[in-house]
Amino acid sequence: MIDVHELTKSYADLRRGKFVAVDSISFHAGPGQIYGLLGPNGAGKTTVLRILSTILRPSGGQATLNGFDVLTQPALVRRQIGFVSTNTAVYDRMTGWEMVEYFGRLYGIEEESLRQQMEQLFARLQMNNLRDTLGSKMSTGMKQKVSIARALVHDPPVVIFDEATVGLDVLVARALLQTVSELRDQGKCIIFSTHIMREAERLCDRVAIMHCGHILAEGTLSEVLESHQETDLEELFFQLISRHDAQQSEADVSNA
Amino acid sequence: MSISNVKLILMRELRDQLRDRRTLFTIAVLPLLLYPLLGMAFLQVAQFTQQHPTKIWVIGANELAEDPVLIRDSAFPPELCLSLDVSNLLQLELEEDRQRLGEDDDPDTAAREAVQDGEFDAVIYFPPEFREQLEQFRDRLPDRATPVGDVLNKAVIKVPSPRIYYDTARDESRIAHDRVSSVLQKWREEIGRMNLEKSQMPLAVARPFELLRNDVAVEEQRRAAIWSKILPFIVFIWALTGAFHPAIDLCAGEKERGTLETLLCSPAGRTEIVLGKLLTVLIFSVATSLLNLASMGFTGTFILGRLQAFEGNMLGVHLGPPPLVATGWLILALIPLAALFSALSLAIAALARSAKEGQYYLMPLLLIMMPLMMLPMLPAVRLDLGTALIPVTGMMLLLQSLMEAEYAEALNYALPVIGVTVLCCLLAVRWAVDQFNNESVLFRESERLDLGLWLRHLVRDREDTPTVGEALLCGVALLVIRFFANFLDMPKDWNDLFVLTCVTQIAFIATPALLMAIMLTRRPGKTLLLRMPRLTAIPAAILLAICLHPAAMLLAQFVQHLYPLDEGVQQVLADLFGQAPNIWVVLLMVAVLPAICEELAFRGFILSGLRHMGHKWRAIAFSSLFFGVMHGILQQSVAATVVGCVIGYLAVQTGSILPCIAYHLTHNSLAVLASQMAPESVQGIPANEWMIRFAEDGFSYQWPVTLTGTTIALMLLYWFRNLPYQMSNEEELQQTLDHQTIPESRAMG
């Protein structure tokens, strides 16, 4: 479903100069699977997900979603995905219903089936109270529900969640994780990025721990823990990152 | 591209903007309230100015004759004033009423001080013996024994002039001056009339005839002429400012609110997104303009009506509403220009990270557009082919012609005006789409401006060839250096010209480009295209320049016809070149040096960098624009831009600077030789009449030669087209994107 091979993204800015945000990473995620991208802030998770959703172009490597290449077939890739991120806000001056309907129509869904799909979504996500509420009047949790409905309105085979629980209260976060789990059960391929290890432990079938653009460990949860002889994912996460930072410091000193 | 997606985005953006109170206030409420309020305030001020009493101090009133009377009961008599109101407003203080002048006081100083201190709005000073001299003059008029001319001349010289003291820096004083001058002129006319009576001469001596004015313009034409100057400026300036707010909100505002990313990951393509937003901005731009126009029209008509009631017909015409047809033309012309403004605003607003930043970025657009909009208001600027080709200005002039019902003139230039406007619109839309495809624009993060960091970044993070930004920086730097080089002393003779040209070419063009290539790139040789092309490319380039020379001359003559070069400048250039010791030195200065220096800069550094944009033709066009503007004189710039495109194409296709130098050298050498050509120099050459001709504007080719040359040139260009050339990474990617043909059905499956 999602095949990422040697994917690289580099930028240049004044402070850091040319730097590699994502450094030749590869992974595969299949249908009915939740793939967790774990990493601290600045690890490169959002960059990977923006490339997969065709908002950014890769500098090297290849990524395909449902067989479509993100670089050469971006329009087709966008039809395969639903993207929920902390950066994908809702429109302040549109109601919840209007917003989801707008995106549904952009996907070219027929009016009648769109209405039915929206009714189901609004019921499933318990957001009927948001039908006539303007975005500016919604709480963070309400906005996130609308974002999820917007991402699912065209029933995409791939759904990407980029730190989707950030800023949500416990109840809403729990409901969101439940939704993600249900989507997996429907056979969708989910990419779930987070820096909260408990969420990954609870949800993900496979995980990749990212730091400074590299994947430090990848596999099923048990594979990753066993290969590093650890029992706690959070502990492993700290170890891997500390080790990588130490190696990086040594390399910098020897280069200097 | 999906039209339904464009429509969806348009409808959403429209609804969104209409729900925004700030937008509604700017577009609808502000014009509807502001102008009536401003109008009322203006009327109050005007009324105050009209009713403001004027304090006048009259020094030497006792020097005035009793007949005709100037001052009666300490006031000007109403018959000398424009109206009874004005007579009442002129409050006189006579010297006799107030002993402010001592025996030794200088009246001139006292009068100046009185006005400067603001104690009086104006002072009238009648010098001593004014009455006596005036009476003597009159008394001697009937003395026919003396030759009339002598008497009159002497008498006039002896009558001293009364003086009015006023202060143009104060409005009240200016008004006082106007009122007093009018009274004194009438009084002087009355004295003149009495003098004529006294000398028993008819009044016709002073006014032998009256001027009868016949304005052949009908009322509607006069109205149209006035409106055609005012309305286009008002309408277009509002169209421009009306595009600003929605453009900022739809780009920078969406970035700030985080909704742009939501839209970017939707199935809508970037072009669809831009078009949807563009149409929204366009609608608001047009609506703002029309609402402002309507509100200003109503308020303006009301105020002018009131002012005309107060002060008479100031404009010489009753300024009613503009003719209906004129308004129709105005609305028709508004749409393409509003589209241009909207696209430019959208592209610029896309650069901004926040609404506040967007306002800063859009200000330069206003500063560029203002002169283009004000140019047509100058009296000497008329619609011709030259002005028709200037964006915005051409459209305003065309509109003026249409509003004044000069349809024949408008029809003559409608095509070039529409062509230029449509071209500018398309380029602006393209630019806006590119901005939405540019990651560094869409996801630009805030960075502190640090010159040191930036310079370090330029050197530290060098690529093989320059980046687009570095290429643009080089182009702008060369133009700035060129601008300041203009302040060097003008060449006085040939030696000065030679030295100046050499310094300009080597120090101001080649050296900056070479330094930048060495400092900012890893492979200066690759950047400057310093490699051998296939051997046939160089002779082919020379042949191409020869074959295109007749067409190039034709273009140069056409440009000269459109924008004639000042004859003085032509003469100075001819004189300077006339001092050249021989033709070889001229060729060295005009052909060899520019061919090397300019090619290194424009086809070397700048074009290599611009090719990272991903479109070779766009890179060629931009580098040619820099090359053209660098030439400084408009007439040269237009032709140089076209030549730059041809040379740029050779640079891309051959990957080498040598064919470019060969072409440039040949082109400039032929231009020098053609300028030296005289009828006698071709005598004896067989069939020269068949190939060339001499006219008033100099030497040119016969059309069969031009046609044949152009045909061969096209064949040569086709040959160059088939050469395998090295694409930049970005060009390869763009080609892949352009050629992808995946059936849509696969996506949905």
Side-chain angles (χ1 to χ4, degrees), chain B residues 30-271:
Chain B
L30 191 69
L32 292 179
L33 288 181
L34 182 71
Y35 296 112
L37 287 174
L38 279 177
M40 282 168 66
F42 179 76
L43 267 185
Q44 292 293 326
V45 173
Q47 214 163 349
F48 169 77
T49 312
Q50 282 152 0
Q51 292 176 352
H52 184 76
T54 300
K55 285 176 72 180
I56 312 287
W57 182 25
V58 184
I59 303 174
N62 52 354
E63 293 292 339
L64 295 173
E66 287 175 5
D67 194 21
V69 66
L70 177 66
I71 297 171
R72 186 191 303 143
D73 301 331
S74 295
F76 291 128
E79 60 269 23
L80 291 180
C81 300
L82 283 172
S83 67
L84 187 62
D85 289 342
V86 175
S87 169
N88 293 333
L89 290 172
L90 286 163
Q91 296 176 355
L92 302 189
E93 187 162 326
L94 306 181
E95 188 196 348
E96 291 77 8
D97 299 338
R98 185 172 171 183
Q99 295 299 326
R100 53 173 54 240
L101 276 177
E103 285 291 320
D104 302 326
D105 284 349
D106 175 22
D108 179 73
T109 313
R112 281 176 190 279
E113 284 174 359
V115 176
Q116 278 170 350
D117 295 348
E119 200 174 349
F120 289 94
D121 297 323
V123 175
I124 310 171
Y125 171 59
F126 293 99
E129 301 184 354
F130 177 74
R131 181 174 58 180
E132 288 77 4
Q133 295 295 339
L134 201 61
E135 283 172 355
Q136 275 181 24
F137 174 82
R138 189 182 296 166
D139 292 343
R140 292 176 68 180
L141 280 178
D143 187 358
R144 300 298 175 97
T146 315
V148 173
D150 286 357
V151 173
L152 290 181
N153 286 339
K154 282 173 189 169
V156 169
I157 290 163
K158 280 181 183 173
V159 176
S161 301
R163 273 176 257 167
I164 305 173
Y165 293 85
Y166 64 105
D167 180 0
T168 48
R170 278 198 299 129
D171 287 342
E172 298 90 339
S173 187
R174 274 207 308 273
I175 293 169
H177 169 257
D178 293 344
R179 288 172 176 170
V180 165
S181 298
S182 156
V183 171
L184 292 180
Q185 273 172 19
K186 273 201 168 185
W187 181 60
R188 187 174 59 183
E189 281 173 18
E190 189 59 21
I191 293 172
R193 192 185 61 76
M194 289 174 70
N195 288 351
L196 289 172
E197 272 179 14
K198 175 87 178 169
S199 56
Q200 297 175 338
M201 292 173 84
L203 288 177
V205 171
R207 297 175 74 156
F209 57 86
E210 295 292 335
L211 276 176
L212 295 177
R213 291 178 174 83
N214 281 312
D215 185 356
V216 295
V218 293
E219 181 73 14
E220 190 148 327
Q221 281 176 327
R222 274 181 287 176
R223 259 167 50 201
I226 293 170
W227 281 121
S228 72
K229 294 275 184 220
I230 304 169
L231 280 187
F233 180 77
I234 294 172
V235 167
F236 293 152
I237 204 81
W238 274 113
L240 180 60
T241 46
F244 280 6
H245 181 75
I248 291 170
D249 191 61
L250 295 184
C251 291
E254 283 221 31
K255 270 192 206 176
E256 214 171 8
R257 294 188 292 270
T259 46
L260 190 61
E261 199 165 328
T262 313
L263 189 58
L264 292 177
C265 64
S266 79
R270 304 286 162 98
T271 309

Side-chain angles (χ1 to χ4, degrees), chain B residues 282-500:
Chain B
L282 172 63
I283 289 170
F284 278 90
S285 166
V286 172
T288 308
S289 184
L290 292 180
L291 278 171
N292 273 282
L293 176 69
S295 183
M296 280 179 85
F298 283 124
T299 312
T301 309
F302 172 71
I303 289 174
L304 281 171
R306 293 290 293 269
L307 284 179
Q308 282 169 353
F310 279 132
E311 300 231 348
N313 203 342
M314 292 183 303
L315 299 167
V317 58
H318 175 69
L319 194 66
L324 205 61
V325 181
T327 314
W329 287 122
L330 191 67
I331 294 168
L332 204 64
L334 172 64
I335 293 165
L337 274 191
L340 174 62
F341 297 153
S342 304
L344 286 172
S345 304
L346 203 65
I348 294 171
L351 287 168
R353 288 183 297 254
S354 65
K356 188 179 169 190
E357 211 178 87
Q359 286 169 353
Y360 294 141
Y361 288 170
L362 282 171
M363 196 47 73
L365 179 62
L366 186 67
L367 296 178
I368 292 170
M369 288 298 163
M370 282 292 274
L372 294 177
M373 290 191 206
M374 291 171 83
L375 193 62
M377 296 172 82
L378 300 176
V381 179
R382 298 289 305 164
L383 182 62
D384 54 32
L385 196 53
T387 51
L389 294 176
I390 304 173
V392 183
T393 303
M395 183 56 91
M396 286 186 74
L397 287 168
L398 178 71
L399 185 58
Q400 279 181 5
S401 299
L402 289 169
M403 289 175 78
E404 290 171 21
E406 291 172 6
Y407 296 117
E409 185 186 63
L411 202 63
N412 269 340
Y413 301 109
L415 206 61
V417 170
I418 294 167
V420 166
T421 308
V422 169
L423 182 69
C424 289
C425 265
L426 291 176
L427 288 174
V429 172
R430 185 77 211 198
W431 185 34
V433 173
D434 282 353
Q435 296 291 64
F436 273 76
N437 275 315
N438 191 336
E439 288 173 11
S440 59
V441 168
L442 291 177
F443 300 101
R444 205 156 56 92
E445 287 178 2
S446 179
E447 280 176 348
R448 187 167 53 88
L449 180 65
D450 186 326
L451 192 64
L453 262 181
W454 181 65
L455 289 173
R456 210 176 331 147
H457 160 72
L458 285 180
V459 177
R460 182 186 55 192
D461 308 313
R462 287 179 296 169
E463 302 278 352
D464 282 356
T465 53
T467 62
V468 177
E470 286 163 354
L472 292 173
L473 177 73
C474 179
V476 173
L478 290 181
L479 293 183
V480 171
I481 294 171
R482 172 78 174 77
F483 173 75
F484 284 108
N486 286 333
F487 293 105
L488 295 175
D489 280 347
M490 283 293 289
K492 296 178 186 67
D493 54 26
W494 163 259
N495 286 338
D496 279 3
L497 180 68
F498 184 78
V499 171
L500 185 70

Side-chain angles (χ1 to χ4, degrees), chain A residues 9 13-15 17-18 50 55-57 68 71-73 76 78 80 87-89 93 98 102, chain B residues 12 15-16 19 249 257-258 261-262 266-267 439 443 447-448 460-461 737 740 742 744 746-747:
Chain A
K9 179 70 184 175
D13 71 22
L14 295 185
R15 192 156 295 281
K18 186 175 177 183
R50 277 180 171 169
I55 295 172
L56 294 180
R57 284 191 192 134
F68 298 111
L71 186 61
T72 57
Q73 297 160 287
L76 304 178
R78 282 199 291 271
Q80 312 302 311
N87 298 315
T88 49
R93 301 189 283 261
E98 285 171 347
Y102 170 57
Chain B
R12 194 213 79 80
R15 183 168 51 184
D16 199 59
R19 284 178 181 174
D249 191 61
R257 294 188 292 270
E261 199 165 328
T262 313
S266 79
E439 288 173 11
F443 300 101
E447 280 176 348
R448 187 167 53 88
R460 182 186 55 192
D461 308 313
L737 290 173
Q740 59 166 309
I742 305 295
E744 194 73 3
R746 257 189 79 192

Side-chain angles (χ1 to χ4, degrees), chain A residues 208-225:
Chain A
I209 297 178
M210 277 191 80
H211 184 48
C212 294
H214 298 277
I215 289 184
L216 305 181
E218 202 265 339
T220 62
L221 203 58
S222 53
E223 281 172 2
V224 168
L225 290 171

